[in-house]
Amino acid sequence: MCLAIPARIVAIAEDGVTAQIEVEGVRRPVSLALVEGCGIGDYVVVHVGFALSRLDPMEAERTLALFAEAGLTGGAAS
Amino acid sequence: MKYIDEYRDGALARKLAGAIAAEIQPGRRYNIMEFCGGHTHAIARFGIEDLLPPEVRLIHGPGCPVCVLPVGRIDDAMAIAARPGVILCTYADLMRVPASNRRSLQSAKADGADIRMVYSVEDALTVAAENPAAQVVFFAIGFETTTPPTALALVRAKAEGLANFSVFCNHVLTPSAMEAILAQPQDGPDPVHVDAFVGPAHVSMVIGTRPYETFARDHHRPVVIAGFEPLDVMQAVLMLVRQINDGRHQVENEYSRAVVPEGNRKAQALMEQVLERRDSFEWRGLGALPDSALKIRDSFADFDAERRFEVPARSVPDPKSCECAAILRGQRRPEECKLFGTACTPESPIGSCMVSSEGACAAHWTFGRFRERRRA
Amino acid sequence: MSTGSRQGRVEMTHGGGGRAMARLVEELFVAAFDNDLLRRRDDQAQFAAPTGRMVMSTDSFVISPLFFPGGDIGSLAVHGTVNDVAMAGARPLYLSAAFILEEGFPLADLGRIVDSMAAASKEAGVPVVTGDTKVVERGKGDGVFITTAGVGMVPDGVEIGGDRARPGDAVLISGTIGDHGMTILSLRESLGFETGLRSDSAALHGLVADMVASVPGLRCLRDPTRGGLAATMNEIAGLSGVGMMLDEAAIPVRAEVRAACELLGLDPLHVANEGKLVAICPPENADRLLAAMRAHPLGAQAAIIGRVTDDPHHFVQMETAFGGRRIVDWLNGEQLPRIC
């Protein structure tokens, strides 16, 4: 359900709503009408042409750290 | 791909698998439902089940909007599309969904109906602006993730006086469906086996974490909201296994990089402005569920395709021999349905679970059917 | 060449059998494809039959847009049929070309397509020796449709077929997958995509000749066009009565193709290629075959991507880079962007 992927904002039009996002050299227009306070360089989660959430880089790091931590406590699977 | 590839790391996956295995208590079973089709797809596509201990069973829930859309609503959309002068705009996912009499939007298009696939509701607004003589209808489906863009389109259509645009609204609500799964009698001969939920990723970006509190508090089921990448799913399984072991039932948020507790307030306000709850809505596989879907408010009635066009609004029962309802509740596995892989395949689906690649049966057929031999 | 046939638009008279048609054929097609056999202006091409086994193949080309980064319908119509002939291990000899033109199609565009087709045929060394042109009324075509057929000759001792894969054999691919299909899809205006992708459209018979020379015991060759690598693997599994086990991490995919697939909910394994081939050979020949492929410019990114297995279900499976397993199924229906 709800295919959406994180993508970086590379340009925002004068209207403040129409933006270009990029993933690995692929660019496409998205609407920022449903989010607030997003700027160039931010990562947003994009669904059906709309940014729905700004990705929090600190939280992203924290989650990755959780994975690593769980791995340490559990040890490697056979 | 930043924020994607890090969450697909095979080496970390093996470590997480080890951590999960270490937490398993002997003799205990862990029946975990991932509600969302997005999780189902990730589980199948990355082969996550191979990394989980046999005590953990993943039950694929009804969180695929294409799958749960009832036949009657597709029939209605086809009736609208068949009217002269109508252009029906739809997400491509809906094109092959079976309607009555083995028909679909695809067959209606072949018969001459003007049905256009769009990637965004904004494209439908553009079609309306470019074809002022036509009636342009947007076939809106989806859970709370896909709803705000539809609400925004309605606001824009009204503001711009786009009189030839309307929306056939089929947006449905996640918590209501989770409620319905748990509402089944637990003491009957065939109880529901859902000990915990992996909660939606992208739905939760919009609605936040609070709507799930009731499942933890009232139904005593742990919920972990998780991203759609495979490590997210494994981490959520680990967190749920720990909650089950500890006898806890809390809402935890693994997808904190995109989900905040209050959700997306701007999107919520838009939905509230334009849409309201229906008393009841039919779900393929689950039947009529109260308060489970949205309709267009009276203040936007002019843009409501259900009011602009007469639709048959006929309820079409699910096929009798189809086990979708039991599969969606975790009472049966896909391969236990006698239609699975025989009469019902992704090429000619009969039940809702086979309709989209995110459905429980379609995902199992397309990605996982080699596992049946191991179980046998 | 007169420029008269490259101005204006296709009219019904261009297919009417009269002088206008003769002039179009003469000034556009014959001039571009120029070769001895075509210049005889017979209704057929006559040539000496080589001894040994011949192969014949045909393909129709309908594509929108007609022009795309990396090629156009003309070059594609040459490469597609040359490759189908070459996948028998054969040396392609001659092509035919039939055009269905829509009334109103700009002659300048037709000229570009024919020039590109002629260039592709000359580069491949496979001449277009006979052809046909028809015109349909406006609204009854999509600009231009092209059908090509090709004949070729199989060298002695080469036995290649989809039914020859055996358990234990190695599976190789000549390069990155999905480039053509994602290039075409990204050009659909409704998606608004901007990418640096190019179609991989290319004639593969030179690569095939090097491969056959290096490993005469090559068992299967296929070009994974529509339906992508997944369709080709399932075809061979079915024809040979075997299973397949692919290694996801070994399959070359460009970062841009991967990203575009993520954005649209597509699987690169289902996306079309027009300049790639899959090869299956005995395991002891795999390294030699890989070296031969990598030595050719069209196989520089070749890789061993899996093995043939003994499987009564003929499943094509894949060990995922994540560490699990899954089935690689046929594409179900048409390839459409998903939202959920």
Side-chain angles (χ1 to χ4, degrees), chain C residues 76-94:
Chain C
L76 194 64
V78 169
H79 296 154
T81 294
V82 163
N83 291 348
D84 283 346
V85 169
M87 291 309 128
R91 184 164 66 89
L93 297 171
Y94 303 110

Side-chain angles (χ1 to χ4, degrees), chain B residues 210 212-221 249-251:
Chain B
R210 285 174 194 145
Y212 307 105
E213 297 288 350
T214 169
F215 302 105
R217 193 182 53 235
D218 304 334
H219 293 285
H220 300 191
R221 296 300 202 287
H249 30 82
Q250 297 166 328
V251 177

